Each structure stands twice: as C-alpha cells, then as structure tokens.
Amino acid sequence: MAVTTMAKAINAGLRKALENDPKVLLMGEDIGKLGGVFRVTDGLQKDFGEARVIDSPLAESGIVGTAVGLAMRGFRPVVEIQFDGFVFPAFDQIVTQVAKHNARSAGRTPMPITIRIPYGGGIGAVEHHSESPEAYFAHTAGLRVISPSNPADAFAMVQQAIACDDPVVFFEPKRRYWDKADVDESLDLATAPSPFRARVVRPGTSVTVVCYGPMVRTCLEAASAAAAEGIELEVVDLRSMSPLDVDTVAASVRRTGRLVVVHEAPVFLGVGAELAARITETCFYSLEAPVLRVGGYHTPYPPARLEEDYLPDLDRVLDAVDRSLAF
Amino acid sequence: MTADGGPELVQLLTPEGERVHHPDYDVELTPDQLRGLYRDLVLVRRVDAEATALQRQGELGLWAQCVGQEAAQVGSGRALAPGDFAFPTYREHGVAWSRGVQPLQLLGLFRGVTNGGWDPHEHNMALYTIVIGDQTLHAVGYAMGMQRDGDDSAVICYFGDGASSQGDVNEAFVFSAVYNAPVVFFCQNNQWAISEPLERQTRIPLYRRADGFGFPGVRVDGNDVLAVLAVTQAALAAAREGQGPTLIEAFTYRMGAHTTSDDPTRYRVAADLEAWKLKDPIERLKVYLARNGWAGHEWFAEIEAEAEALAVDLRRGCREMPEPEKTSMFDHVYAEPHALVDEERAQFEAYHASFVGGGH
C-alpha cells in the first residue's frame, strides 16, 4: 500500500497492463518522451519502446481510426485524447466505427479499445480544455463509459477497462490528478469490484447524492458539512455512466426517499436526466421529493474566471439537499 | 483535367485489346490465367446486374453498382496474397469476389437482413464501410499491427475520388507515411461522387496527392485489368519489402448510378457514358483473348452460361434469405454482458409474448 496521486496511479495501471499483455499498446499525442501533458504516461515509452508506446501525429480521428485496425489485428489499443474538447474530431470514428464493430460483425471483430480522456474543469484552462462530454458517449450503444474518482479506483479501473473486450471511454477527472490516496498495487483484478458498478462511498439516511468523477470529492465534502447540521447524506459514486448501475442507486433511494444527482456536465439531457427518469420509474412510491439535479448550465463552458460559478460546488449541492428535504 | 487519364496513365492493354508495354510495369500471365481474369470480370458484372434488377424488383433496399469498375476491382483483388487484408467501401463487389466472399453474402446488407455479412477474418476482408473514408484509417492501423507482429503481408485499402476530400483519408496518408506502414491505398477514381464531378474534389490529378505525403503515387488505367494487376502487385511488393505506402489512382468510370437511388441523367451527359463504353474492361480482354486464339466462341458461351446460372442462384438465394430473428438486434451490441441491453431484450420479449399466441 502506497500513497500516490491519481495521475501516478493511472500510470501504474498502464504499466501493469503493458507488462501483463504484449498486445496492449498506447498511442496518443505527446505520450512518449514527454510522458503526456499531464505526465500520466511518464516513463512508459522508455521502458516499453516506441512500438508499444506510440507518439502519434496530431490527428485525433487518426488515433482512434488506426486503433480500430489494430484491434481487428488482435491488439488492445489504449489511446489518449489530450483534452476533452479535442475528442470531437474523433467522434465519427468512435460512434460510427468503434461502437458498432462488434454488432456488425456478429462478434467477430470486437473493439477492445480504451479511450482515455482527461475531462472536466477546475484547473483554470482556456476554452475547449474543461468539458464534460460523457453523455454523448453514454448515449451510443456499444460503448462503455466510466470515470474514477480517486487514485485506488483509477489504478484498478484503467486496467479493467483495458481488459474489457468492449470499447471503454475512460474519463479521467483532470483536477483530481493530483489528489493523493492509498493505492494497493498488489490488487487482484479478478476479485476487484466491477468498474461498471456504483459504490456507496458514504452511508447516510437523509438524502442520496449520486455523483461521479470530479464531483465525488465535492459531494463528500458537502456530506461532511451537512453532518455538522445533523443531515446524513448517502453519497453514491456512480463510476459508470454506461452501463448505468440503477440498482445500486435505487436501493439507496429506497432507504433515503430522496435523490440529488450531481455532475459537472450540463444538466440538460445529461446523465442526471436519465437517472431521474429511471428512479422515478422504479422508486416512485419511495420518493419523498422529486429527483433534483445539480450540474453545468446550457452554455458553452465559460472562461476560466467564471468557472467557479459554473461548476457545482459544496454550496450548490447543499442547496439542492435543502430543497429536497423541504418537500 | 485530362479525360483520357493523360500520358502518365499506366496501360498494358489498350481499349482496342492490343497488348502494349510499359517501361516500369509488366505482368506475365498464361492463357489460363487470362481466361480466369475474364471469367471474374464477366461474373462480377453479372452479379452487379442481377443485384440491380433485384433492387428494382423490391428485393433489395439499395444497391451500389460497380459496373465499369470490374477491372479495377478484380485486377487489384487478384494481386493480393492470401495473407493480405483488404478494407473496402460499399462498392467493392469485385474485390469481395476475389477474396472468396459469396455474392449472396454481399446482398444481406442491401436487403436489410444484416449490417455485416461475412467473417472478416475468414476472408481477410473487412466488412463494407458506409461512412466515407473511415476504413482508410482502419487499414493503416491493421498494417501497423502487421508490422508489430512481424508479418510480411500487406494491406490494401479502397476508397473513391469523393473520399479523397475527407479528413480521415488525409490522416491515413499521414499515419501510413510516418510509420512506413505496409498499406496500398487504392483510389478508384470513377469521376463522380454521387452528382459531384472530380473537379469538386481536386484541382490536381489524385495520384499526385501522394507527393505531398512523401510516398509514391501512380495512375493506372482502371479499365485495364492487366495494368491494374501489375501496378497493384508492384505496390504490394514494395509494402512487403518495407518501403511503405503507395497511392494507386485507378482511372475509371462509374457506368451506373452512385446507387439505385440516384439518377445520373440529371447530372451528366450521355456522350460521356458512350465514350467510356468504348473503354469497357471486359470487351478489351475478350478481343485480346480471341485475337490470340486463347478463347473461342464456345468458351465465351460457357462463361455466359455460368453467369446465367450464377444469376439464377442469386435470385433464388436472395428471395430465400431468412429474415433476421427479432431479438438478434440485441445480440453482440457488447462483447460482454451489459445490464441495459439485457433489460431491454427482456422487455422486448415480454411485450411480444403478451400478444395472444405469443407473437406479434
């Protein structure tokens, strides 16, 4: 057990995957000598060579499109999209090709591709560097979409994504790259929890708060603050947007009778909208209040000087909790 | 732009069926091999004509005709070694023929009973790709995989003149060049991207695009099966020997419509079609075979009879193609179990079972 950052935990996970399976290879812009702009791939090219840790031309569609061919050839490509807002040139390849190959070929050409995308705001970046595009991908059948919220999960989940025979869009919450926590590098993936299941990260009785990725820490802080006022929030880390673990959320809502969904992505047609609908369908008689959502606005991601007002923070989460309890 | 392909056009068999020589490319074929190529061309054209008729009869939702492009497809397809891998668009019926994909397997996609149709690994040919140019990147990735596996096979990748405008095709050129991937880009310039003429895609001959990416480009007479075979063999050999990609522009003509949904008389003149008919890929080989005494009336009649039998099989097979199982849409969405797909499949089954008799 060692204390490490999320960035280093993902690096360790990638290293394990490269060690354990010669068919795993990494490709992306600046991932080699530089080690990636966030240093997530630091040192991997030095140790595994240029044939397995590939610095690519500056072309996102090319990175994903060639990964399709590599996957057909039997490789397990892990591609890095440098920032969330840069994934759209590759959007066509991801949704029309990567997502559909397994179905079109009746399972003969599966796409065990992991698409790593640093996402979300809070680091004061310029435009196109702070977005949360997960709903686009979760909406597409054939893709799996997950996001870790802490270093231990990041270490396990990146390896699980690579081992999965389906394409996995792996969203890394970039403002949590430097969060530190214990990571057990001797973890046995065979017995580790599925990356496609949600987890109750703080039990409580008053309101269920569902979140994922960068919002988990925010919601845990909100839960601590609420506890001081006698409100016990149950915080659920969703971890996976597709598949969506409705069962775990529903079980929690049946205990608390209330649900607040929190994510950085715009509220409109987001993951929270799906959860609200599903929970209304499955837990109608358990609900004491309508499902409430906290998230980004229906605006382009604002300039960095305004992002504190755009991003859900502890106060906005607690405000939604109060509104839920007021019903 | 030169309508006849210009002096740079590699040609080994003239439209009049005369064997000519080229300083850089040649192919030595036995009469038996030449007859084999002729048979391929005739049968592929018959498959295409029959599928077009089946669409008109309502048996297919759509068909993308390859009439006129048989030599480009058969010549390049027959240049492949068994271990090579082909990435087609949706019009490569002649390539599929040369890879052993049965014509009926092509029809499933257009009839709407499948989104695929064959096992890519069994035939070393990817499924048809509808989104223009996407497959060029898949081809380069596959070729990069061959490099890493130490396999000295090569990849061939098909696309059209319209696709040459797409970003993905240009990205494929960049990736293949910088990684020296063993891939042959085979552009069938059939002069039209639906209704848009070549002039809407480029202001230089397409094969010259290769210069800008740092690998060789060559323009071949796409209606000359011998020249296509020779040029493709040379490009594949170069790829296998570690010399990286080549762009082949097969200069040809789409004699039919883009698909059975459009009407080429709205956008092109009849005189063009008449001019290209004189360059027909099948007629010139027929003249060459006959003139040299390698095939006579009886043999040609046998091939016609074989084509007719193939058409009969295709008609019957198309109509007898089973409808897909209703729940098959839930199969293979994911390689591993996915809760939402399982749930929706169960809902679908329960809904249909709720009708009297259990069906709907």
Side-chain angles (χ1 to χ4, degrees):
Chain A
M1 200 76 88
V3 174
T4 190
T5 64
M6 180 183 282
K8 286 189 172 154
I10 297 170
N11 180 282
L14 294 171
R15 177 175 289 278
K16 284 236 170 196
L18 285 161
E19 280 168 0
N20 293 341
D21 184 350
K23 287 295 187 184
V24 171
L25 51 79
L26 272 47
M27 184 155 60
E29 297 159 13
D30 307 303
I31 69 164
K33 283 202 173 66
L34 180 65
V37 292
F38 292 104
R39 310 294 184 266
V40 171
T41 53
D42 193 25
L44 297 177
Q45 189 183 65
K46 183 169 70 67
D47 294 341
F48 294 95
E50 291 183 10
R52 295 191 66 199
V53 180
I54 308 168
D55 269 322
S56 75
L58 213 124
E60 286 77 12
S61 191
I63 293 168
V64 175
T66 51
V68 171
L70 284 159
M72 287 179 72
R73 183 71 194 179
F75 287 84
R76 303 185 87 86
V78 183
V79 300
E80 178 178 301
I81 301 295
Q82 202 161 69
F83 281 93
D84 34 50
F86 305 165
V87 71
F88 298 107
F91 194 67
D92 165 54
Q93 285 286 350
I94 296 172
V95 301
T96 72
Q97 305 298 328
V98 173
K100 293 183 170 135
H101 250 259
N102 196 63
R104 295 184 66 229
S105 68
R108 289 155 178 148
T109 54
M111 290 283 117
I113 300 174
T114 302
I115 301 169
R116 295 182 37 243
I117 308 178
Y119 83 121
I123 64 165
V126 297
E127 69 168 339
H128 308 301
H129 289 69
S130 304
E131 302 186 7
S132 300
E134 59 269 24
Y136 293 109
F137 299 99
H139 193 63
T140 297
L143 302 176
R144 292 171 186 267
V145 183
I146 62 178
S147 176
S149 65
N150 61 77
D153 266 5
F155 173 72
M157 286 167 73
V158 75
Q159 293 179 75
Q160 291 168 317
I162 295 167
C164 182
D165 283 336
D166 289 313
V168 179
V169 185
F170 188 77
F171 280 106
E172 300 172 4
K174 67 172 90 79
R175 69 166 140 147
R176 305 299 184 211
Y177 270 147
W178 304 280
D179 283 9
K180 286 185 177 172
D182 280 341
V183 174
D184 178 9
E185 287 202 26
S186 65
L187 176 81
D188 180 3
L189 284 187
T191 57
S194 165
F196 307 114
R197 298 301 299 270
R199 186 191 294 149
V200 177
V201 289
R202 177 180 172 126
T205 52
S206 308
V207 177
T208 297
V209 176
V210 173
C211 49
Y212 54 85
M215 281 293 104
V216 174
R217 193 175 113 184
T218 305
C219 291
L220 286 171
E221 287 166 0
S224 296
E229 297 177 15
I231 299 167
E232 293 299 332
L233 301 183
E234 176 146 304
V235 180
V236 178
D237 181 354
L238 204 53
R239 301 167 88 239
S240 175
M241 276 63 78
S242 176
L244 198 58
D245 182 2
V246 179
D247 292 348
T248 296
V249 178
S252 174
V253 170
R254 290 195 185 98
R255 288 192 293 272
T256 64
R258 297 171 200 277
L259 175 60
V260 172
V261 188
V262 183
H263 52 58
E264 286 191 22
V267 166
F268 183 68
L269 291 175
V271 171
E274 178 64 26
L275 266 180
R278 303 274 302 195
I279 292 302
T280 304
E281 281 178 13
T282 54
C283 304
F284 188 68
Y285 293 107
S286 303
L287 285 169
E288 304 286 341
V291 179
L292 299 179
R293 293 169 291 162
V294 180
Y297 302 107
H298 196 54
T299 66
Y301 196 89
R305 295 292 178 130
L306 293 176
E307 70 178 347
E308 279 188 28
D309 293 299
Y310 176 89
L311 290 168
D313 60 6
L314 190 144
D315 290 336
R316 281 176 63 197
V317 175
L318 290 176
D319 174 65
V321 166
D322 287 346
R323 282 189 283 128
S324 178
L325 286 167
F327 274 95
Chain B
M1 225 163 278
T2 322
D4 64 0
E8 65 270 49
L9 192 75
V10 176
Q11 195 176 68
L12 299 178
L13 192 62
T14 69
E16 294 74 33
E18 281 173 46
R19 187 75 162 83
V20 290
H21 293 278
H22 189 277
D24 300 324
Y25 297 98
D26 197 11
V27 65
E28 291 285 335
L29 294 175
T30 64
D32 208 37
Q33 288 170 321
L34 289 165
R35 283 191 294 267
L37 287 174
Y38 179 84
R39 175 178 173 272
D40 285 342
L41 297 177
V42 170
L43 296 186
V44 166
R45 179 164 292 184
R46 190 54 187 260
V47 168
D48 192 62
E50 206 53 45
T52 305
L54 284 165
Q55 193 280 333
R56 294 298 184 230
Q57 293 161 19
E59 298 293 337
L60 301 179
L62 186 81
W63 181 251
Q65 294 171 270
C66 72
V67 59
Q69 298 177 226
E70 297 91 346
Q73 298 193 5
V74 167
S76 58
R78 289 294 180 211
L80 299 171
D84 295 337
F85 205 102
F87 284 83
T89 69
Y90 42 76
R91 199 192 296 284
E92 266 63 81
H93 318 315
V95 180
W97 174 265
S98 71
R99 296 262 87 186
V101 177
Q102 296 303 306
L104 265 177
Q105 291 178 290
L106 302 177
L107 262 52
L109 176 70
F110 297 96
R111 187 171 170 83
V113 302
T114 175
N115 286 333
W118 59 90
D119 182 350
H121 300 299
E122 183 188 340
H123 297 283
N124 272 13
M125 174 159 159
L127 297 173
Y128 278 180
T129 302
I130 308 275
V131 180
I132 304 296
D134 278 12
Q135 76 283 359
T136 57
L137 284 165
H138 308 168
V140 174
Y142 197 92
M144 289 167 67
M146 282 177 167
Q147 279 178 321
R148 280 157 181 74
D149 288 338
D151 184 335
D152 61 358
S153 298
V155 170
I156 190 162
C157 175
Y158 293 88
F159 60 100
D161 41 301
S164 72
S165 299
Q166 286 278 354
D168 275 8
V169 173
N170 289 271
E171 292 189 21
F173 289 170
V174 171
F175 274 69
S176 68
V178 300
Y179 297 126
N180 205 43
V183 58
V184 174
F185 294 108
F186 195 91
C187 175
Q188 286 171 85
N189 173 4
N190 68 14
Q191 316 296 328
W192 293 92
I194 308 188
S195 70
E196 307 255 8
L198 185 62
E199 289 72 20
R200 279 287 170 275
Q201 317 298 336
T202 183
R203 56 189 278 180
I204 63 163
L206 289 176
Y207 75 96
R208 282 175 50 196
R209 293 259 176 105
D211 284 349
F213 295 91
F215 52 84
V218 55
R219 173 179 275 186
V220 64
D221 182 344
N223 288 16
D224 173 355
V225 70
L226 301 186
V228 172
L229 184 67
V231 167
T232 311
Q233 279 178 342
L236 287 165
R240 290 192 193 98
E241 288 160 12
Q243 294 172 45
T246 299
L247 169 61
I248 297 172
E249 177 192 359
F251 198 78
T252 183
Y253 190 73
R254 190 192 79 209
M255 296 179 83
H258 163 67
T259 69
T260 43
S261 289
D262 77 324
D263 173 9
T265 64
R266 292 173 72 105
Y267 54 82
R268 64 187 189 190
V269 297
D272 282 355
L273 182 60
E274 293 309 310
W276 277 92
K277 275 183 183 168
L278 300 174
K279 303 179 192 177
D280 189 279
I282 296 182
E283 288 308 310
R284 73 174 76 178
L285 187 56
K286 187 175 189 177
V287 170
Y288 180 53
L289 285 169
R291 190 179 289 151
N292 285 280
W294 293 326
H297 176 73
E298 204 170 294
W299 186 82
F300 288 120
E302 272 174 35
I303 297 299
E304 283 309 315
E306 191 181 353
E308 182 54 35
L310 179 61
V312 170
D313 283 351
L314 205 59
R315 281 197 289 276
R316 189 181 55 237
C318 182
R319 294 194 171 100
E320 289 175 355
M321 216 176 274
E323 291 294 297
E325 289 290 327
K326 285 186 196 300
T327 55
S328 66
M329 66 177 140
F330 298 104
D331 296 342
H332 306 296
V333 179
Y334 293 88
E336 297 183 11
H338 189 284
L340 182 60
V341 176
D342 294 344
E343 180 189 317
E344 292 186 351
R345 179 202 291 269
Q347 285 170 356
F348 181 92
E349 286 173 341
Y351 172 72
H352 285 271
S354 72
F355 290 89
V356 176
H360 182 38

